[in-house]
Each structure stands twice: as structure tokens, then as C-alpha cells.
Amino acid sequence: MAEKLSTEPYKGVRDFYPEDMAVQSHIFDTWRRTAESFGFERYDASVLEPSELYKSKGAENEEMVNEQTYTFLDRGDREVTLRPEMTPSVARLIAGRHKELAFPVRWYSIPNLFRYERTQRGRVREHWQLNCDIFGSDDIAADVEIIALAYQTLINFGARPEMFTIKVNDRREMKDFYHSLGVIDEDSITKVTRLNDRFHKIDRSEYVEELRQIVPGAAEAILAFLEESKQTDNAVTRALAEIGITNVEIDRSLARGFDYYTGTIFEIFDNDPKNNRSMLGGGRYDDLTSLFGDERIGGVGFGMGDVTMRDFLETHELLPQKKAGALVVVIPTEEALNLEGEKAATRLRAAGVSVTVDISTKKLGKKLAAADHAGSGYVLVVGEDEVARGEYVLKNLADGTEVSGALTKIADAISS
Amino acid sequence: MAEKLSTEPYKGVRDFYPEDMAVQSHIFDTWRRTAESFGFERYDASVLEPSELYKSKGAENEEMVNEQTYTFLDRGDREVTLRPEMTPSVARLIAGRHKELAFPVRWYSIPNLFRYERTQRGRVREHWQLNCDIFGSDDIAADVEIIALAYQTLINFGARPEMFTIKVNDRREMKDFYHSLGVIDEDSITKVTRLNDRFHKIDRSEYVEELRQIVPGAAEAILAFLEESKQTDNAVTRALAEIGITNVEIDRSLARGFDYYTGTIFEIFDNDPKNNRSMLGGGRYDDLTSLFGDERIGGVGFGMGDVTMRDFLETHELLPQKKAGALVVVIPTEEALNLEGEKAATRLRAAGVSVTVDISTKKLGKKLAAADHAGSGYVLVVGEDEVARGEYVLKNLADGTEVSGALTKIADAISS
């Protein structure tokens, strides 16, 4: 036999042992519960997509596909990519049924996404993301609702509003402002937008210098606009305030990287100084689907990643301490009684509760300690006497109370 | 711009539009609920694994990796494979923490798996699978429990026992029988086992002919053993009967393809003549982990696929007819009231129910019809009068009853 195999996962991806998976399930369950409470319907697609889906928007995308994705030729010489983001896939699905769908539609998904990049803290090569979109409505109510959904997701994790800030901007308002300064060519506006994306990451002087190179006559006015923006509001922030969401500010420097946004854009920042970064972002786009046909379908949406979500929950101590143990542990006193234990467990499960049987070779005392350590609620010992009499004792590990009798009686006691 | 992009998914994989995803979620939720009711803990790993994980068992596996998997070189020249099965991944995880884990452990996962093969009915290139294993116990109670879990999964989907048959065999019992006939070399036993795997797929005469070529002196005895097996039982089938599972038969022809099984093996067959095939299979293995180190850890487990599961549920009409609509649809009477609609929805969600707002441009009557069509339970109309008075009417779509008043009163009425 060859040398021993490594137990490490592939570089840049994560294993989820049960204690990690419990956190992951908590995150996915909260995402799902919140999205569905807003009437969003779940969709999915395969992680494998034809590579042309990502290349279609021109040379820049082709470079991204070639350098930052997992792309390979399959055995039929088709070029295939592990999806790096969900938007192209959902655009494909929406375009594929745009005639049958009753717009507006609210869709969400929790896909895994792959990016080939240098691994560093918080930068893994595979991560999961909650993607929520409202397609086919250009009403401001959709913008407000999508931000309210992002907000409510954090609240449903137990976050308080003072733990995070929703920053809002609007591409149309920015465009109107640039036009008012005489900056009207698209190229300059795109350059300023991309520079603004770095506003909080570079020195003020560096920002000003680069800005002057792009728009010599308008730099001071733009800088003033960005620096005074927190005192202002717009229709979206006022509507959010009306539904009780007030940890919101206009940030005119907010740019978002993607060129396809056309209206409202927003990001949510963790307020904790240890973790002060963007946790999620999204915005409104006019055209999701024209690559697939003649019709343009717009919408508004956001994406929220599992790694940043977990960092936020850990930073603010919002992860539940609940252990994963079954509610009832059935404990046979010796190996010869394991099958009797399975029989008892089957009866108790009929009450709709989770039941495990300790079929380890441990002694009774160690089994009782293990049940307590696992956070289980009850134990039921199965010994020779119990089997002979057909009467058992269910012990509550929290308060020590007991219920005795036939298994049907005990099942009733658990389920009531 | 280039020609229009196709809206088709990559060859051999599936898109899940909301109505398909609802079925998928129903299957995954039922799998999860059942596994957790038996105290199984969920784990996961990435779909990307180092290719050597699958090649390590020798030339046959290397051929499988080269011909039937998605395998490619990453940008760092590492050979990587999209997992074709979960067992090597879970073996890797178990081996990686075998010193810390308190055996026996009960683990489950719902991974997607990729196989590169010709696409045909029921044969997709990506499918999902429920994988359940009990590791680190050689007690028969584990064999019985894992079969009971597979059984209970189908029952929890609404299946009745007469809809399916659990076929059981035992590799040790088969070996003892071959030995009793003087067939003792491992090579002959392996050949007979593989031939038995085709017992129900080929003619009796073809089977006998091939069997005679392998074991000339023992063919008749083996054939008789296979054909009479349904009248027999063993310790596993007797224990299953004791916990109320009686749609079970011994089938001495049951072989299971995998060489790593060493004891109990089982499959569950759909009894419907239209769909008469194996839905899931599993068994006991002695050694999962020695490829990773010196210690052997055995167990018993099974895998159950989403495609065969869905076929079974459709054949027996066990898919729920429930529609995915939100419980309450808030209906603004005109676009200018959409934000008022969002406000009302926010209040009602505080009652813990799902609420959507119809921000389409449809007329009121069409909106009411759409809410009914979506299977929603209630509608709440938001018109100018309602907003001015702060009083709304919640209408129950099932029985036509109404509750009127402030939103707090209505929220109370919904949640009670």
C-alpha cells in the first residue's frame, strides 16, 4: 500500500465537523427563515456553469474568468466554471422563464461560490452566500423592502440596531450631482465612482490628488459632497425610518464595485472597532437579462456571506450555546441489552422527539455523564429489570424529576 | 455585443426553479428531521477534494477517477476532483479527529455528488444524497438502527410499509456458506459476489452457466441457496421485526457493488411495478480509515439519492400539494401606497408570520386573485381610507372571515 493519505481538506476550502456544521446550519436556517418571512421563494442551480456565462460582458470579465475562477475543460471539451457569484446563474433562470413568471418575483438562494485567490483571514476559496432579489419592479418600495430584509436578517440573529450601520447611496443621484458640476462623460463618472470606492481606504490627500487628475474643475465640490453626506437623507432612508429602521446613513462615497448598479446601492457595516468592515452589499440594477434576449428585466438585491456573518456573530457573542445532543438518551446497562434500547428508542420517537441510544461499551456512570455533557434533556435506563417489568424511568437531567411507567406513558409525558 | 447566451444549464445538471426547489427542500427537510430524530449530527465538506483521495485504493479506482469523475488541475497544478461519493470525505474527517471523537458517533450529511457519465432517465451528472453512518460500533444494534433509520425516512415521507421492501443479506454469512461448500479462495468468492449482483438482471440459465465456470462443483448449491433465501431470517431481520419493521426479507443474491462491505448489507426496493428498483443501499464495513493511519475504524451506513427519492414520491403520490405563497399578502390599492404596504407588512411580521407585499402594477381584483392562486391564507388591503384611519381588514381566504382594527390587533389575531 502507498504512503498514508493526508486528512487535510483541499487548499482554501473548509471541513465542517458537527460543531462547525451546527454554526453553519444556524446561519443558513436564520437566512432561510428571514427570507421566507418576507415571502421570498428559494431557487438553486448547479455550482457548474458554462464558462461563457461569465465571459460574455467583455474583455474584463474574460480576464476574471481566466485568472480568478476554477475553470476547466470537461471530457466533452466543454469549458466549465465553478460559479464565482450567483447573479449570472439567476439571470439565466429568470431569462429562461421570463414569459411565464408573474413579476415582480422575490427569489432567494444559498449557493456555495468559488474564487481562486490567495488565501488569507476571512478569504477562503469557497464560501456560501445568501442571495436575495426582487426582479421586475422599479418601485422604491422594492429598494426599501430589500434593505429591510437585510436588516431583519441581522435582527433575527439577535443583533441590536446599534451593532451595525446601513450605508446608502444612489447612483442616479450621484450622476445628477456630477452632471450639475458639468461632469457628464460616462468615462469620467465611472473613474470617479471607482475612486470613491477607495475613499475610506486611502489618505484624503491621495484621494484629492487622484480626483483632481480625473475631474480638475470639480474635485473640491465632489470632496465636499462626500464629506457632508451623513447629514442628508433621501426617499429610501426616509421610508426606512418610517418602518422603524434608523441605523442608516447616506454615504456619498459608497460606490460598490459592480458596474451594473444603476440606482440605490447599500452596504451594512459592523460597528465593532475590532471588525469594522462591510458585511454585505447590494443595490438596484436596470438590466439583468438582456444578454439572453431582447427584454431587459431589472431589480434590486443583495448578497451576504457566511464567513463575514460568522465573524459578526462571534464578535458580538450572538452564536447560540445550544449543544447538538438528542433530547433523550436511552442507556442500555450492558451490550446484550442494546437491541432492547433500540426498541425503547423507536417507541419514544413516535412522540416526535429526538432519541439516541448509547451503544458504546462505557459503564453506566460514564454513559450518564456523557448524556449530561452532550446537553441532552432526559435519560432512560434500559436494564434487565426494566425490560422484564416493561416499566422504565425517564429522568429529567435539568431538574432531576422522574416519570415512571410503560413506554407509552413516558412518550406521552415527553410530548406534552 | 456577441450573440445571445443560452439559458440552458450545463449539460447533465439541473436548475431548481422555486417549484422544483420546494420539492428539493421537502426532501432535504424530511431527511434532516429523520436523521436528527435518531440523534445523528450533521457534517459537511467541500465538493472539491484532492484527487488522490479517490485513487488510493489501486488501479481500479484510478481508472474510475480518470474516466468517470470531473478531475482537473488547479492553477497551482494540484489535481482536484469534484467528489463522486461522500465516503472518502467522511473517512478523511473521521481519521483526522479519531483521537478526539467519542465513538460510536452518528453522522449524516446531504452532499451533492458528481459523476461524469452518459445522461439518461434518472441518471444525472450531479445529484444529492443523504449519507448516514454510525462509526466505531460493531454491535448488531448499529446495523438494526441504521436500517430502522432508512425505513423511518420513507415513513416520514408518508410512505406505507407495503410500498417498499427492505432486502437484507450478510457478507459473513455468505462467506461461511461458501466455505461450507469448499469454496474458500477470496478470488472465487469475489467473482461469485459480483455475479450475484447481476442475478436479477440476467436469465437464470446465463447465471447458472457463468456460476459453473467460477465454481464448477458448488453451482447448484449456491443457486438453491439464493432461490430459497426469502423463507429464512437472521439476527438482523428478527430484531427489525421486534421493533415493528416487517417489510423485510433475506435475499441471498443481494451483493452490493462495493468491495468494502464486510457484514450486513441491505437495499430498499420500491414495490410499485412501474418503478421496481433499488432506492437506497448500505451496509457494514470493517475499515474506513486505515488509508489515513494505522487505526481501523469500522461502521455501518447507507446513502439515499434525491432523484430516486423524488421518483418514489411521485410514483406513490406522496409529494405535498402545498403551495409556497406567504401566509399574508398585503395589497396596496395603488402604487403610491406601496410604501404604506411595506410598513404594514413589517408590523405583521412581528407576529412571526410570513408576509409579502403585492407591489405589482395589477389592479386590485387581479391582486386578490393572485393571492388566492398562490395559496396564501390571508389578504390585507391597504387603501387611502385604511391608512387615514389606521384601521385595516384582514380577510381569511379559506373561510371568508374578517378581523378589523389596528395592525397590532390584527397581528395578535394572526399569531393566536
Side-chain angles (χ1 to χ4, degrees), chain B residues 128-342:
Chain B
W128 277 257
Q129 199 176 67
L130 170 65
N131 278 256
C132 298
D133 288 274
I134 303 174
F135 300 109
S137 170
D138 55 12
D139 194 89
I140 186 182
D143 304 49
V144 171
E145 181 178 319
I146 208 83
I147 296 174
L149 170 53
Y151 168 92
Q152 192 61 41
T153 303
L154 298 180
I155 298 298
N156 285 353
F157 277 112
R160 293 185 307 278
E162 61 269 26
M163 292 176 181
F164 60 96
T165 301
I166 304 169
K167 295 189 179 181
V168 175
N169 199 3
D170 189 303
R171 285 267 175 96
R172 281 163 310 189
E173 291 172 4
M174 293 305 287
K175 207 172 197 173
D176 290 346
F177 172 67
Y178 297 135
H179 285 187
S180 76
L181 299 176
V183 177
I184 51 172
D185 65 302
E186 286 297 324
D187 187 49
S188 296
I189 292 174
T190 300
K191 279 182 182 155
V192 172
T193 303
R194 289 189 182 160
L195 176 61
N196 288 351
D197 202 27
R198 294 160 56 218
F199 182 69
H200 291 290
K201 293 169 196 150
I202 59 179
D203 284 345
R204 188 175 185 277
S205 59
E206 190 182 342
Y207 173 79
V208 174
E209 195 177 320
E210 290 196 35
L211 189 60
R212 281 188 185 135
Q213 282 167 21
I214 307 168
V215 282
E220 272 64 32
I222 292 173
L223 181 66
F225 191 58
L226 263 55
E227 291 187 332
E228 287 160 19
S229 64
K230 289 184 189 175
Q231 282 79 49
T232 63
D233 59 12
N234 71 5
V236 168
T237 64
R238 286 190 298 272
L240 287 169
E242 279 213 45
I243 61 175
I245 301 177
T246 56
N247 54 338
V248 183
E249 58 186 47
I250 295 280
D251 184 341
R252 293 301 182 188
S253 75
L254 188 71
R256 303 280 303 144
F258 302 108
D259 288 341
Y260 54 78
Y261 289 123
T262 51
T264 297
I265 50 179
F266 69 100
E267 293 193 27
I268 298 186
F269 286 79
D270 189 345
N271 287 346
D272 191 289
K274 289 197 300 290
N275 197 40
N276 191 347
R277 56 176 173 163
S278 173
M279 294 161 57
L280 70 93
R284 172 169 282 286
Y285 40 83
D286 271 347
D287 175 20
L288 188 78
T289 53
S290 66
L291 280 170
F292 301 91
D294 293 327
E295 197 170 347
R296 283 167 175 262
I297 298 166
V300 57
F302 70 85
M304 180 189 280
D306 67 327
V307 178
T308 41
M309 193 68 243
R310 186 170 178 159
D311 283 347
F312 176 80
L313 298 177
E314 283 174 348
T315 300
H316 296 276
E317 298 180 349
L318 294 173
L319 284 174
Q321 296 304 304
K322 186 189 67 174
K323 295 187 180 176
L327 183 68
V328 182
V329 182
V330 170
I331 300 184
T333 55
E334 52 186 302
E335 200 169 349
L337 292 170
N338 282 351
L339 282 173
E340 289 294 338
E342 296 287 346

Side-chain angles (χ1 to χ4, degrees), chain A residues 17-18, chain B residues 40-41 43 90 94 101 105-108 131-133:
Chain A
Y17 280 88
Chain B
F40 281 60
E41 295 180 283
Y43 69 94
V90 72
I94 290 281
L101 291 167
V105 298
R106 291 170 172 89
W107 279 14
Y108 82 100
N131 278 256
C132 298
D133 288 274

Side-chain angles (χ1 to χ4, degrees), chain A residues 1 4-11 13-21 25 29 32 36-39 41-50 52-53 56 65-72 74-76 78 80 82 92-97 103-104 106-107 112 114 116 125-126 128 134 137-142 144-145 239 242-243 290-294 324 326 335 338-340 342-343 346 349 353-357 359-360, chain B residues 1 4-11 13-21 25 29 32 36-39 41-50 52-53 56 65-72 74-76 78 80 82 92-97 103-104 106-107 112 114 116 125-126 128 134 137-142 144-145 239 242-243 290-294 324 326 335 338-340 342-343 346 349 353-357 359-360:
Chain A
M1 187 173 293
K4 300 305 180 193
L5 276 173
S6 166
T7 59
E8 290 297 306
Y10 174 68
K11 189 176 169 68
V13 303
R14 289 168 288 166
D15 286 330
F16 294 94
Y17 280 88
E19 64 271 28
D20 297 308
M21 194 65 204
S25 294
D29 289 347
R32 175 182 177 173
E36 293 185 355
S37 78
F38 278 67
E41 295 180 283
R42 190 167 185 170
Y43 69 94
D44 201 2
S46 176
V47 69
L48 286 188
E49 286 280 7
E52 62 256 33
L53 188 62
S56 51
V65 172
N66 289 337
E67 292 178 8
Q68 292 176 31
T69 65
Y70 287 87
T71 293
F72 60 98
D74 73 11
R75 292 173 202 282
R78 289 175 211 87
V80 57
L82 296 181
R92 189 171 62 66
L93 266 70
I94 290 282
R97 295 219 179 147
F103 292 104
R106 292 171 171 89
W107 280 14
N112 55 336
F114 285 89
Y116 194 88
R125 289 179 175 174
E126 177 185 27
W128 276 258
I134 303 174
S137 171
D138 54 13
D139 195 87
I140 186 182
V144 171
E145 180 178 320
E242 281 215 43
I243 60 174
S290 67
L291 280 171
F292 301 92
D294 293 328
E335 200 172 349
N338 281 352
L339 283 172
E340 289 294 337
E342 297 287 345
K343 217 193 290 187
T346 304
R349 277 182 205 118
V353 298
S354 65
V355 184
T356 192
V357 186
I359 58 171
S360 74
Chain B
M1 187 173 296
K4 300 304 181 194
L5 274 174
S6 165
T7 59
E8 291 297 309
Y10 174 68
K11 188 175 168 69
V13 304
R14 289 167 288 167
D15 285 332
F16 294 93
Y17 281 88
E19 65 270 29
D20 297 308
M21 194 65 203
S25 294
D29 289 348
R32 176 181 177 174
E36 293 184 356
S37 78
F38 279 66
E41 295 180 283
R42 191 167 184 169
Y43 69 94
D44 202 3
S46 176
V47 69
L48 286 189
E49 287 281 6
E52 61 257 32
L53 188 61
S56 52
V65 172
N66 288 338
E67 294 179 6
Q68 292 177 30
T69 65
Y70 289 86
T71 292
F72 60 98
D74 73 12
R75 293 174 202 281
R78 288 176 214 86
V80 57
L82 297 181
R92 189 172 61 65
L93 267 70
I94 290 281
R97 295 218 181 149
F103 292 104
R106 291 170 172 89
W107 279 14
N112 56 336
F114 285 90
Y116 194 89
R125 288 179 177 173
E126 178 185 28
W128 277 257
I134 303 174
S137 170
D138 55 12
D139 194 89
I140 186 182
V144 171
E145 181 178 319
E242 279 213 45
I243 61 175
S290 66
L291 280 170
F292 301 91
D294 293 327
E335 200 169 349
N338 282 351
L339 282 173
E340 289 294 338
E342 296 287 346
K343 216 193 290 186
T346 303
R349 277 183 205 117
V353 298
S354 65
V355 184
T356 192
V357 186
I359 58 173
S360 73

Side-chain angles (χ1 to χ4, degrees), chain A residues 154-405:
Chain A
L154 298 180
I155 297 299
N156 284 353
F157 277 111
R160 295 185 306 276
E162 62 269 26
M163 291 177 182
F164 60 96
T165 300
I166 303 169
K167 296 191 178 181
V168 175
N169 198 1
D170 189 304
R171 285 265 174 98
R172 282 163 311 191
E173 291 172 6
M174 293 305 289
K175 206 170 196 173
D176 290 347
F177 172 68
Y178 298 135
H179 286 187
S180 77
L181 300 176
V183 176
I184 53 171
D185 67 300
E186 286 296 325
D187 187 49
S188 296
I189 291 175
T190 300
K191 280 184 183 152
V192 172
T193 303
R194 290 189 184 160
L195 177 61
N196 288 349
D197 201 25
R198 295 161 54 221
F199 181 69
H200 291 289
K201 293 169 195 149
I202 59 180
D203 283 346
R204 187 175 187 275
S205 58
E206 191 183 341
Y207 172 80
V208 174
E209 195 177 316
E210 290 197 35
L211 189 60
R212 280 187 184 134
Q213 282 167 23
I214 307 169
V215 283
E220 272 64 31
I222 292 173
L223 181 66
F225 192 57
L226 264 54
E227 291 187 332
E228 287 160 18
S229 62
K230 288 182 189 177
Q231 283 79 50
T232 63
D233 59 13
N234 72 5
V236 168
T237 64
R238 285 190 298 273
L240 286 169
E242 281 215 43
I243 60 174
I245 300 175
T246 56
N247 53 338
V248 183
E249 59 185 47
I250 295 280
D251 184 341
R252 293 303 183 186
S253 75
L254 188 71
R256 305 277 305 140
F258 302 107
D259 288 341
Y260 54 75
Y261 289 123
T262 51
T264 296
I265 49 179
F266 69 100
E267 293 194 27
I268 297 187
F269 287 79
D270 188 345
N271 287 347
D272 190 288
K274 288 195 302 290
N275 196 40
N276 192 348
R277 56 177 173 163
S278 173
M279 294 161 55
L280 70 95
R284 171 169 284 286
Y285 40 85
D286 270 347
D287 174 21
L288 187 78
T289 53
S290 67
L291 280 171
F292 301 92
D294 293 328
E295 196 170 345
R296 282 167 177 263
I297 299 166
V300 58
F302 71 86
M304 179 187 282
D306 66 328
V307 178
T308 41
M309 194 67 243
R310 187 171 177 156
D311 283 347
F312 176 81
L313 298 177
E314 283 174 350
T315 300
H316 296 276
E317 297 179 350
L318 294 173
L319 282 175
Q321 295 304 306
K322 187 187 67 172
K323 296 188 180 178
L327 183 68
V328 183
V329 182
V330 170
I331 300 186
T333 54
E334 51 186 303
E335 200 172 349
L337 292 169
N338 281 352
L339 283 172
E340 289 294 337
E342 297 287 345
K343 217 193 290 187
T346 304
R347 295 267 187 84
L348 298 182
R349 277 182 205 118
V353 298
S354 65
V355 184
T356 192
V357 186
D358 189 340
I359 58 171
S360 74
T361 52
K362 289 198 287 279
K363 292 213 160 62
L364 180 61
K366 297 266 188 208
K367 287 183 177 183
L368 289 165
D372 190 49
H373 182 73
S376 294
Y378 303 90
V379 292
L380 183 124
V381 171
V382 175
E384 274 188 20
D385 281 0
E386 284 84 354
V387 174
R389 283 188 291 118
E391 297 214 341
Y392 298 82
V393 178
L394 180 80
K395 188 181 185 80
N396 183 321
L397 288 173
D399 60 18
T401 55
E402 296 182 344
V403 179
S404 315

